[in-house]
Amino acid sequence: MSLKPNDWIRPEIQNLSAYHVPPAEGLIKLDAMENPYTWPDALLDEWLLRLKTTSVNRYPDPAGTQLRNRLQETMCIPQGQGILLGNGSDELIQIIAMAVSGKGRVVMAPQPSFVMYQMIAKFVGMRFESVPLRAVDFSLDMNAMLSAIEQWYPAVIFLAYPNNPTGNHWDRSDIEQILEAAPGLVVVDEAYAPFAADSFMSSLGRYPNLLVMRTLSKLGLAGLRLGYLCGPQDWLAEFDKVRMPYNINTLTQVSADMALAHAGVFQEQAEDIKLGRVQLLADLQALPGIEVFPSDANFILFRVPVGKAGAVHRALMDSGILIKLLSGSDPMLVDCLRVTVGAPAENQAFMTVLRRIFSGG
Ligand SMILES: *Cc1c(COP(=O)(O)O)cnc(C)c1O
């Protein structure tokens, strides 16, 4: 008798594919919404000093108290609201899902949106129900959202604000209506807050079911893996029970705390990226045959002529530029690709190749 994975691995896990990260060595990397800028020398020197006096023979502070205080100051988290730290916001999604999972329990999100909501729902054995966005402009289809809420009674609804991969942010009043109608939690995922014009952070405390989730990844610290969940203390106290005690390692706690003491450096980088976004939007719009969608994030979604997305993606790759191919991932994203706003020289390199592809040269 031979024992096989499919004797024991749950069918819904067997049916998943692992989150795919394409190799990027030697490429201009515009596929994962990373900040293209590294740290100024003065910060690097201070960092080395901090690390020199940091010891890793002891476990980390399980609560990350100093870092949470720093976040409270720098990220305008309202007084009285709790903060829970995660190993990336991916881990926070997992913590929330683990805490509410159970037979018949539903995770809901609009579609297309961030793929981890669905994946993590499956990991923890929950049902995932999605509601298509309106194809014209990727706005929320409120009639469909409200009837889905009634039909599925979701334990938690994830709303990415701005949305990945579409780049737009939904109507604030639509989200407020969802907050009123939802029988369970509503997590507003503000991964792109550094580039966005609006936020629900200051609305915390006004709704008993509102949580605001953020990450330092898109701000420029993707390698540290730090996400934070803000909201009512009574909810966070429950989530804290399923959090691994030392989920934020010492190097991340020390490094993120130091980086946030210089938050201005990263905010300036974000401003540069926003300027780059304006330029890149204009450059893409000037290319005939390309449909460009508005963005409030550090990436731009665009659509190429029918059937060409795969070839465009490959041609860019052959010229040393990696972006994200979305065509095929969702009916609404047919012929679509997503490019991260990089440093000006990277954006120019991308545009140069794209112009060449579209002039047939
Ligand atoms: C990138 C992204 C995240 C994940 O961020 P990490 O903190 O790096 O895990 C979460 N939500 C959305 C919408 C994202 O695009």
Side-chain angles (χ1 to χ4, degrees), residues 33 88-90 114 117 160 164 189 191-192 215 217-218 225-227:
M33 284 76 88
S89 37
D90 289 346
F114 188 48
Y117 308 144
N164 174 14
D189 178 352
Y192 298 97
T215 173
S217 295
K218 287 26 190 252
R225 308 299 299 128
L226 188 78

Side-chain angles (χ1 to χ4, degrees), residues 245-267:
Y246 304 113
N247 63 331
I248 312 299
N249 72 71
T250 302
L251 297 181
T252 294
Q253 291 194 30
V254 166
S255 306
D257 178 56
M258 196 221 94
L260 291 176
H262 302 278
V265 169
F266 299 93
Q267 278 147 10

Side-chain angles (χ1 to χ4, degrees), residues 255-315:
S255 306
D257 178 56
M258 196 221 94
L260 291 176
H262 302 278
V265 169
F266 299 93
Q267 278 147 10
E268 268 174 44
Q269 292 179 346
E271 289 306 312
D272 281 350
I273 292 166
K274 282 161 71 178
L275 288 176
R277 175 178 73 194
V278 173
Q279 182 67 49
L280 194 55
L281 270 170
D283 287 348
L284 281 167
Q285 269 156 353
L287 263 188
I290 291 193
E291 185 184 1
V292 189
F293 298 96
S295 171
D296 208 29
N298 64 340
F299 60 85
I300 295 171
L301 182 76
F302 62 100
R303 178 172 279 135
V304 296
V306 177
K308 293 273 187 281
V312 168
H313 185 252
R314 249 186 329 273

Side-chain angles (χ1 to χ4, degrees), residues 19 32-33 86-93 113-117 159-165 189-192 213-218 221-222 225-228 299 338:
Y19 187 86
M33 284 76 88
N87 195 314
S89 37
D90 289 346
E91 192 196 30
L92 292 169
I93 300 168
S113 189
F114 188 48
V115 292
M116 292 311 290
Y117 308 144
L159 298 172
Y161 187 78
N163 188 37
N164 174 14
D189 178 352
E190 297 190 348
Y192 298 97
M213 186 170 70
R214 295 252 185 108
T215 173
L216 297 187
S217 295
K218 287 26 190 252
L221 303 174
R225 308 299 299 128
L226 188 78
Y228 54 105
F299 60 85
R338 184 192 67 198

Side-chain angles (χ1 to χ4, degrees), residues 88-132:
S89 37
D90 289 346
E91 192 196 30
L92 292 169
I93 300 168
Q94 190 185 44
I95 286 173
I96 295 166
M98 279 194 294
V100 301
S101 71
K103 196 168 160 47
R105 294 267 175 111
V106 168
V107 173
M108 186 177 130
Q111 199 157 344
S113 189
F114 188 48
V115 292
M116 292 311 290
Y117 308 144
Q118 172 162 17
M119 287 190 73
I120 289 171
K122 298 260 174 69
F123 296 168
V124 303
M126 292 181 80
R127 260 175 65 204
F128 180 78
E129 297 289 355
S130 64
V131 178

